[in-house]
mmCIF file of all heavy atoms in Angstrom:
data_model
loop_
_atom_site.group_PDB
_atom_site.id
_atom_site.type_symbol
_atom_site.label_atom_id
_atom_site.label_comp_id
_atom_site.label_asym_id
_atom_site.label_seq_id
_atom_site.Cartn_x
_atom_site.Cartn_y
_atom_site.Cartn_z
ATOM 1 N N HIS D 642 -63.157 157.883 42.034
ATOM 2 C CA HIS D 642 -64.061 158.627 41.157
ATOM 3 C C HIS D 642 -63.891 158.212 39.717
ATOM 4 O O HIS D 642 -64.853 158.023 38.983
ATOM 5 C CB HIS D 642 -63.807 160.130 41.299
ATOM 6 C CG HIS D 642 -64.494 160.689 42.500
ATOM 7 N ND1 HIS D 642 -65.842 160.600 42.658
ATOM 8 C CD2 HIS D 642 -64.026 161.305 43.598
ATOM 9 C CE1 HIS D 642 -66.172 161.153 43.810
ATOM 10 N NE2 HIS D 642 -65.085 161.590 44.413
ATOM 11 N N LYS D 643 -62.624 158.074 39.359
ATOM 12 C CA LYS D 643 -62.327 157.706 37.976
ATOM 13 C C LYS D 643 -62.967 156.346 37.635
ATOM 14 O O LYS D 643 -63.541 156.144 36.576
ATOM 15 C CB LYS D 643 -60.805 157.617 37.807
ATOM 16 C CG LYS D 643 -60.357 157.893 36.386
ATOM 17 C CD LYS D 643 -58.851 157.868 36.342
ATOM 18 C CE LYS D 643 -58.352 157.895 34.936
ATOM 19 N NZ LYS D 643 -56.888 157.695 34.929
ATOM 20 N N LYS D 644 -62.841 155.468 38.588
ATOM 21 C CA LYS D 644 -63.396 154.126 38.396
ATOM 22 C C LYS D 644 -64.910 154.207 38.187
ATOM 23 O O LYS D 644 -65.487 153.472 37.392
ATOM 24 C CB LYS D 644 -63.122 153.265 39.640
ATOM 25 C CG LYS D 644 -61.858 152.498 39.543
ATOM 26 C CD LYS D 644 -62.126 151.137 38.943
ATOM 27 C CE LYS D 644 -60.825 150.365 38.912
ATOM 28 N NZ LYS D 644 -60.639 149.578 37.765
ATOM 29 N N GLN D 645 -65.466 155.089 38.951
ATOM 30 C CA GLN D 645 -66.936 155.107 38.939
ATOM 31 C C GLN D 645 -67.515 155.866 37.758
ATOM 32 O O GLN D 645 -68.696 155.752 37.482
ATOM 33 C CB GLN D 645 -67.429 155.716 40.242
ATOM 34 C CG GLN D 645 -67.253 154.737 41.379
ATOM 35 C CD GLN D 645 -68.105 155.104 42.554
ATOM 36 O OE1 GLN D 645 -68.368 156.268 42.767
ATOM 37 N NE2 GLN D 645 -68.510 154.116 43.308
ATOM 38 N N ARG D 646 -66.641 156.637 37.085
ATOM 39 C CA ARG D 646 -67.184 157.492 36.044
ATOM 40 C C ARG D 646 -67.871 156.682 34.930
ATOM 41 O O ARG D 646 -68.977 156.980 34.522
ATOM 42 C CB ARG D 646 -66.079 158.352 35.448
ATOM 43 C CG ARG D 646 -66.634 159.307 34.384
ATOM 44 C CD ARG D 646 -65.692 160.414 34.095
ATOM 45 N NE ARG D 646 -65.486 161.252 35.264
ATOM 46 C CZ ARG D 646 -64.321 161.827 35.558
ATOM 47 N NH1 ARG D 646 -63.292 161.614 34.797
ATOM 48 N NH2 ARG D 646 -64.208 162.570 36.622
ATOM 49 N N LEU D 647 -67.158 155.626 34.501
ATOM 50 C CA LEU D 647 -67.718 154.828 33.400
ATOM 51 C C LEU D 647 -69.030 154.177 33.802
ATOM 52 O O LEU D 647 -70.007 154.187 33.068
ATOM 53 C CB LEU D 647 -66.733 153.732 32.985
ATOM 54 C CG LEU D 647 -65.769 154.135 31.884
ATOM 55 C CD1 LEU D 647 -64.823 152.994 31.582
ATOM 56 C CD2 LEU D 647 -66.528 154.541 30.627
ATOM 57 N N LEU D 648 -69.009 153.635 35.002
ATOM 58 C CA LEU D 648 -70.231 152.986 35.487
ATOM 59 C C LEU D 648 -71.357 154.013 35.566
ATOM 60 O O LEU D 648 -72.494 153.725 35.198
ATOM 61 C CB LEU D 648 -69.996 152.385 36.865
ATOM 62 C CG LEU D 648 -69.038 151.202 36.902
ATOM 63 C CD1 LEU D 648 -68.771 150.789 38.336
ATOM 64 C CD2 LEU D 648 -69.619 150.038 36.130
ATOM 65 N N ALA D 649 -70.988 155.200 36.020
ATOM 66 C CA ALA D 649 -72.010 156.230 36.153
ATOM 67 C C ALA D 649 -72.546 156.618 34.782
ATOM 68 O O ALA D 649 -73.747 156.805 34.597
ATOM 69 C CB ALA D 649 -71.432 157.449 36.856
ATOM 70 N N LEU D 650 -71.628 156.694 33.829
ATOM 71 C CA LEU D 650 -72.057 157.042 32.469
ATOM 72 C C LEU D 650 -73.046 156.006 31.932
ATOM 73 O O LEU D 650 -74.023 156.339 31.285
ATOM 74 C CB LEU D 650 -70.840 157.107 31.554
ATOM 75 C CG LEU D 650 -70.184 158.474 31.452
ATOM 76 C CD1 LEU D 650 -68.945 158.369 30.589
ATOM 77 C CD2 LEU D 650 -71.151 159.479 30.850
ATOM 78 N N ALA D 651 -72.742 154.738 32.201
ATOM 79 C CA ALA D 651 -73.615 153.676 31.706
ATOM 80 C C ALA D 651 -74.813 153.461 32.619
ATOM 81 O O ALA D 651 -75.578 152.530 32.411
ATOM 82 C CB ALA D 651 -72.821 152.390 31.578
ATOM 83 N N ALA D 652 -74.929 154.293 33.615
ATOM 84 C CA ALA D 652 -76.022 154.206 34.573
ATOM 85 C C ALA D 652 -76.070 152.837 35.233
ATOM 86 O O ALA D 652 -77.113 152.213 35.354
ATOM 87 C CB ALA D 652 -77.352 154.523 33.910
ATOM 88 N N LYS D 653 -74.855 152.391 35.646
ATOM 89 C CA LYS D 653 -74.791 151.089 36.307
ATOM 90 C C LYS D 653 -74.694 151.313 37.810
ATOM 91 O O LYS D 653 -74.119 152.308 38.262
ATOM 92 C CB LYS D 653 -73.546 150.300 35.862
ATOM 93 C CG LYS D 653 -73.516 150.022 34.384
ATOM 94 C CD LYS D 653 -74.301 148.803 34.079
ATOM 95 C CE LYS D 653 -74.276 148.538 32.599
ATOM 96 N NZ LYS D 653 -75.294 147.628 32.185
ATOM 97 N N ARG D 654 -75.193 150.363 38.530
ATOM 98 C CA ARG D 654 -75.090 150.469 39.977
ATOM 99 C C ARG D 654 -73.693 150.112 40.432
ATOM 100 O O ARG D 654 -73.185 150.620 41.412
ATOM 101 C CB ARG D 654 -76.058 149.491 40.613
ATOM 102 C CG ARG D 654 -77.429 150.067 40.737
ATOM 103 C CD ARG D 654 -78.178 149.236 41.719
ATOM 104 N NE ARG D 654 -79.579 149.586 41.659
ATOM 105 C CZ ARG D 654 -80.547 148.709 41.776
ATOM 106 N NH1 ARG D 654 -80.256 147.449 41.921
ATOM 107 N NH2 ARG D 654 -81.801 149.103 41.743
ATOM 108 N N GLY D 655 -73.127 149.175 39.779
ATOM 109 C CA GLY D 655 -71.781 148.746 40.151
ATOM 110 C C GLY D 655 -71.286 147.810 39.070
ATOM 111 O O GLY D 655 -71.900 147.686 38.011
ATOM 112 N N GLU D 656 -70.180 147.152 39.373
ATOM 113 C CA GLU D 656 -69.617 146.269 38.360
ATOM 114 C C GLU D 656 -70.547 145.086 38.059
ATOM 115 O O GLU D 656 -70.559 144.567 36.959
ATOM 116 C CB GLU D 656 -68.266 145.728 38.837
ATOM 117 C CG GLU D 656 -67.172 146.728 38.710
ATOM 118 C CD GLU D 656 -65.922 146.265 39.414
ATOM 119 O OE1 GLU D 656 -66.035 145.681 40.515
ATOM 120 O OE2 GLU D 656 -64.848 146.485 38.881
ATOM 121 N N ALA D 657 -71.275 144.678 39.067
ATOM 122 C CA ALA D 657 -72.101 143.483 38.893
ATOM 123 C C ALA D 657 -73.434 143.777 38.205
ATOM 124 O O ALA D 657 -74.194 142.865 37.916
ATOM 125 C CB ALA D 657 -72.375 142.842 40.245
ATOM 126 N N ASP D 658 -73.664 145.035 37.962
ATOM 127 C CA ASP D 658 -74.957 145.374 37.366
ATOM 128 C C ASP D 658 -74.924 145.108 35.874
ATOM 129 O O ASP D 658 -74.331 145.843 35.100
ATOM 130 C CB ASP D 658 -75.252 146.851 37.642
ATOM 131 C CG ASP D 658 -76.603 147.252 37.081
ATOM 132 O OD1 ASP D 658 -77.341 146.336 36.685
ATOM 133 O OD2 ASP D 658 -76.906 148.455 37.060
ATOM 134 N N ARG D 659 -75.559 144.012 35.484
ATOM 135 C CA ARG D 659 -75.561 143.661 34.060
ATOM 136 C C ARG D 659 -76.944 143.864 33.458
ATOM 137 O O ARG D 659 -77.255 143.331 32.413
ATOM 138 C CB ARG D 659 -75.180 142.190 33.878
ATOM 139 C CG ARG D 659 -73.909 141.791 34.536
ATOM 140 C CD ARG D 659 -72.954 141.161 33.550
ATOM 141 N NE ARG D 659 -71.752 140.734 34.217
ATOM 142 C CZ ARG D 659 -70.700 141.536 34.390
ATOM 143 N NH1 ARG D 659 -70.735 142.775 33.968
ATOM 144 N NH2 ARG D 659 -69.632 141.088 35.000
ATOM 145 N N LYS D 660 -77.735 144.548 34.134
ATOM 146 C CA LYS D 660 -79.113 144.662 33.684
ATOM 147 C C LYS D 660 -79.206 145.514 32.419
ATOM 148 O O LYS D 660 -78.582 146.569 32.327
ATOM 149 C CB LYS D 660 -79.949 145.282 34.790
ATOM 150 C CG LYS D 660 -81.421 145.092 34.522
ATOM 151 C CD LYS D 660 -82.241 145.700 35.615
ATOM 152 C CE LYS D 660 -83.691 145.587 35.240
ATOM 153 N NZ LYS D 660 -84.535 146.380 36.115
ATOM 154 N N ILE D 661 -79.982 145.012 31.478
ATOM 155 C CA ILE D 661 -80.289 145.806 30.298
ATOM 156 C C ILE D 661 -81.757 146.168 30.416
ATOM 157 O O ILE D 661 -82.614 145.288 30.310
ATOM 158 C CB ILE D 661 -80.032 145.012 29.013
ATOM 159 C CG1 ILE D 661 -78.560 144.605 28.973
ATOM 160 C CG2 ILE D 661 -80.402 145.820 27.802
ATOM 161 C CD1 ILE D 661 -78.282 143.542 27.961
ATOM 162 N N PRO D 662 -82.053 147.391 30.702
ATOM 163 C CA PRO D 662 -83.435 147.732 31.027
ATOM 164 C C PRO D 662 -84.398 147.473 29.863
ATOM 165 O O PRO D 662 -85.503 147.007 30.058
ATOM 166 C CB PRO D 662 -83.379 149.195 31.404
ATOM 167 C CG PRO D 662 -82.068 149.685 30.964
ATOM 168 C CD PRO D 662 -81.150 148.537 30.803
ATOM 169 N N ASN D 663 -83.934 147.744 28.664
ATOM 170 C CA ASN D 663 -84.833 147.537 27.543
ATOM 171 C C ASN D 663 -84.014 147.078 26.359
ATOM 172 O O ASN D 663 -83.275 147.854 25.770
ATOM 173 C CB ASN D 663 -85.556 148.847 27.227
ATOM 174 C CG ASN D 663 -86.718 148.607 26.309
ATOM 175 O OD1 ASN D 663 -86.917 147.502 25.841
ATOM 176 N ND2 ASN D 663 -87.484 149.640 26.065
#
Side-chain angles (χ1 to χ4, degrees):
Chain D
H642 279 301
K643 207 176 170 187
K644 268 269 182 219
Q645 286 198 330
R646 182 163 296 145
L647 269 178
L648 292 174
L650 269 176
K653 299 276 180 197
R654 275 197 192 142
E656 283 170 320
D658 182 11
R659 307 235 182 272
K660 195 180 175 191
I661 300 165
N663 194 355

